[in-house]
Structure formats: C-alpha cells, structure tokens
C-alpha cells in the first residue's frame, strides 16, 4: 500500500513503542468479557506490524504483559498466556513471510513453560529476518528491569569489572533488556490514558508521546498514521534551542 502523502518518508521514527490499552473497557462496553477484548486486540497488533513495516520503522515494541498484570484475576492471566501461545503459532508463518524478527524484553523466567518454549522457538526461527524487529514486552516493568540491571552491576563492582564513581550511562544501558535496540523515538498509548505506567522509563527520555482515545481493539492503520503525522509535527530539540536544530 502507498504511504499517505501527508507523511514525510524521510522522518519516520526508527523505533515506535506502544502501550496497548483499553481491551477490557472495549469488551465490557459491548457486554463481553475482558478476554474478548484481548483476542480482538490481536488484529490490531497484526495491522500495526503491517503499517510499521510499510513505513520502514525498524523496531516496534509492544507492552503485552506487565509485572503488575499478575495481580489480575487468574482466569484473565491464563487466558492472556494462552492467547499469546496461540498467536505465536498462528502468526509465525506471517512473521516469516513479512521478514519480521521477533524479540522480547522482560523477565521471561516467570512465564508459563509452554509460553517460554513457543517464544523461544519463534525468536530462533525469525532471528535472521531483517525488515523489522517486533519486541514483545512480557512480564516487563521498567523498575524491575532497572533493578535486575543494578544487581548485575553490583556484582561487577565486587569483582572489579566496574569502578564506583566511573560508572557511565553506557554501563547501565549494556545491562538493560533493550541493550541491543535503539531508544524509542515515539510512544503511543491508546484508550485516553496519559501515563507511562512503568514502561521503558530510561529509554523514553527523549521520545515524543502520542495519546489517542481509541481503545486498542479498534486501533487501525489510520490511527497509526495519525501518530506518525503527529510525531512529524514536533520539533525535537534534545535540550537545544530551536535555531540550533533547524
Ligand atoms: C491492556 O488492556 C492490554 C493488555 C494488558 C494485554 C495486551 C494483549 C493483547 C493485545 C493480545 C495479545 C498480544 C500479542 C502481542 C499477540 P487492559 O486490559 O488494561 O484494558 P482496560 O484498561 O480497558 O482494562
């Protein structure tokens, strides 16, 4: 499909991160249970990957399950995990066809075994794909990621690999789950909430934020393009003044 003329192909964010929110409210408004919302969210994921790939976005990170989500009812957690396994199986061929590499961030060791196995297989099978990297944040929260990194760094201090007072930003970035990815340039959150909710707190330092009222199961091509147009309307100064970046 053609890139809309309102989009400048020379100013596409290389990494887009999305907080997919509003599945539950969307389903409840229809008199359905929350899992119905999550299942319908898979179509939005599919369409978003397609659009991102078309625009040549290199990295797309989706917040699929937070460390805080374990406090939801067991039925919803089990349903979400089953949906994840089923989606990986049903979408793998499409990921291969579209040259999508799958990656994850978060502490996967706490996910159910079948989930870890399916993810592992898909990550390995897609490892050589080059068009776009789809990063699923699973059992992820930024504070958890940072604490895991700090603990490893403390060990490095003890064995002399890091020297207190000489630790730099790069030393921390190497220990983050996102070590091999650039920082997101655009964050999208659906459902009218205006929060970052413990997502990529370090990495979003200079990201532009786009909030839309649309619930995730209704997020489509037009909404993704609107977010990119909004991104392109911003002047990114990185602490400088306007004249310096023009
Ligand atoms: C937030 O909506 C959504 C989630 C916690 C889960 C997102 C999962 C999917 C879209 C499905 C599977 C994903 C993949 C990658 C295959 P919410 O439940 O917090 O909604 P609410 O705020 O309205 O309650």
């Amino acid at each position: 499909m053609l890139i809309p003329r309102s989009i400048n192909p020379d100013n596409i964010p290389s990494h887009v991160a999305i907080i997919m929110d509003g599945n539950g409210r969307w389903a409840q408004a229809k008199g359905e249970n929350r899992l119905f919302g999550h299942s319908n969210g898979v179509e939005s994921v599919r369409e978003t990957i397609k659009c991102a790939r078309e625009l040549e976005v290199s990295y797309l990170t989706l917040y699929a399950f937070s460390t805080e989500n374990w406090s939801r009812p067991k039925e919803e957690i089990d349903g979400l995990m089953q949906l994840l396994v089923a989606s990986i199986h049903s979408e793998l061929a499409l990921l291969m066809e579209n040259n999508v590499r799958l990656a994850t961030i978060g502490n996967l060791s706490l996910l159910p075994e079948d989930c870890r196995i399916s993810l592992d297989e898909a990550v390995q099978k897609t490892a050589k794909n080059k068009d776009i990297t789809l990063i699923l944040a699973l059992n992820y929260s930024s504070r958890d990621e940072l604490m895991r990194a700090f603990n490893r760094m403390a060990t490095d201090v003890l064995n002399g690999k890091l020297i207190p007072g000489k630790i730099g930003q790069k030393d921390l970035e190497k220990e983050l789950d996102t070590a091999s990815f650039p920082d997101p340039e655009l964050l999208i959150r659906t459902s009218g909430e205006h929060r970052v909710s413990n997502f990529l707190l370090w990495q979003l330092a200079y990201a532009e934020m786009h909030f839309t009222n649309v619930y995730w199961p209704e997020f489509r091509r037009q909404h993704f393009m609107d977010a990119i147009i909004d991104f392109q309307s911003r002047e990114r100064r990185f602490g400088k003044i306007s004249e310096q970046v023009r």
Side-chain angles (χ1 to χ4, degrees):
M1 220 179 285
L2 279 179
I3 296 181
R5 281 173 51 187
S6 44
I7 288 182
N8 171 5
D10 299 326
N11 183 22
I12 302 291
S14 68
H15 185 171
V16 178
I18 306 185
I19 302 178
M20 311 180 285
D21 199 7
N23 293 353
R25 277 166 287 162
W26 178 83
Q28 278 162 344
K30 292 186 166 317
E32 299 282 354
N33 71 17
R34 299 177 54 84
L35 279 170
F36 180 76
H38 299 315
S39 314
N40 278 273
V42 177
E43 180 55 33
S44 311
V45 170
R46 221 177 268 133
E47 183 145 336
T48 301
I49 298 170
K50 218 169 108 190
C51 295
R53 193 176 161 273
E54 244 175 71
L55 294 185
E56 298 183 23
V57 168
S58 304
Y59 299 88
L60 176 69
T61 298
L62 302 179
Y63 206 176
F65 194 87
S66 76
T67 54
E68 287 83 13
N69 286 151
W70 294 111
S71 54
R72 292 193 174 194
K74 184 175 178 327
E75 191 187 86
E76 184 173 345
I77 297 172
D78 292 348
L80 266 170
M81 295 299 158
Q82 279 169 21
L83 182 63
L84 185 69
V85 174
S87 304
I88 293 167
H89 289 155
S90 64
E91 305 305 317
L92 186 58
L94 206 66
L95 295 182
M96 292 306 292
E97 245 169 66
N98 287 289
N99 212 6
V100 181
R101 172 168 76 118
L102 184 69
T104 60
I105 53 172
N107 181 359
L108 298 199
S109 70
L110 298 179
L111 296 182
E113 197 186 0
D114 60 338
C115 218
R116 277 185 282 127
I117 293 173
S118 309
L119 280 165
D120 237 33
E121 274 174 17
V123 166
Q124 284 183 26
K125 281 201 175 122
T126 60
K128 294 206 164 69
N129 292 349
K130 293 261 180 307
D131 277 7
I132 182 167
T133 300
L134 169 66
I135 304 160
L136 295 184
L138 290 161
N139 188 30
Y140 176 88
S141 78
S142 205
R143 289 183 175 181
D144 179 68
E145 175 192 39
L146 287 164
M147 289 317 299
R148 284 186 282 110
F150 295 152
N151 276 297
R152 281 193 297 271
M153 290 168 82
T155 309
D156 282 350
V157 167
L158 278 182
N159 55 37
K161 288 188 194 153
L162 284 177
I163 299 160
K166 298 219 160 121
I167 299 172
Q169 297 189 6
K170 290 268 177 294
D171 295 310
L172 171 60
E173 282 167 355
K174 273 197 295 208
E175 293 300 332
L176 295 177
D177 298 348
T178 50
S180 54
F181 314 125
D183 288 345
E185 292 184 274
L186 170 65
L187 172 78
I188 301 173
R189 182 170 188 154
T190 58
S191 90
E193 306 291 352
H194 298 79
R195 287 188 292 278
V196 181
S197 297
N198 214 348
F199 188 45
L200 301 171
L201 298 178
W202 174 275
Q203 298 88 338
L204 290 173
Y206 289 100
E208 297 297 328
M209 312 270 170
H210 174 84
F211 300 102
T212 167
N213 288 333
V214 171
Y215 288 145
W216 180 251
E218 289 185 337
F219 190 84
R220 289 290 174 272
R221 179 183 170 84
Q222 185 56 53
H223 306 114
F224 188 80
M225 298 302 172
D226 286 347
I228 301 292
I229 292 167
D230 190 18
F231 171 84
Q232 296 191 337
S233 74
R234 312 277 178 91
E235 182 180 74
R236 307 189 74 210
R237 290 192 295 278
F238 303 97
K240 297 179 180 161
I241 64 167
S242 208
E243 286 74 13
Q244 291 174 300
V245 296
R246 272 194 205 144

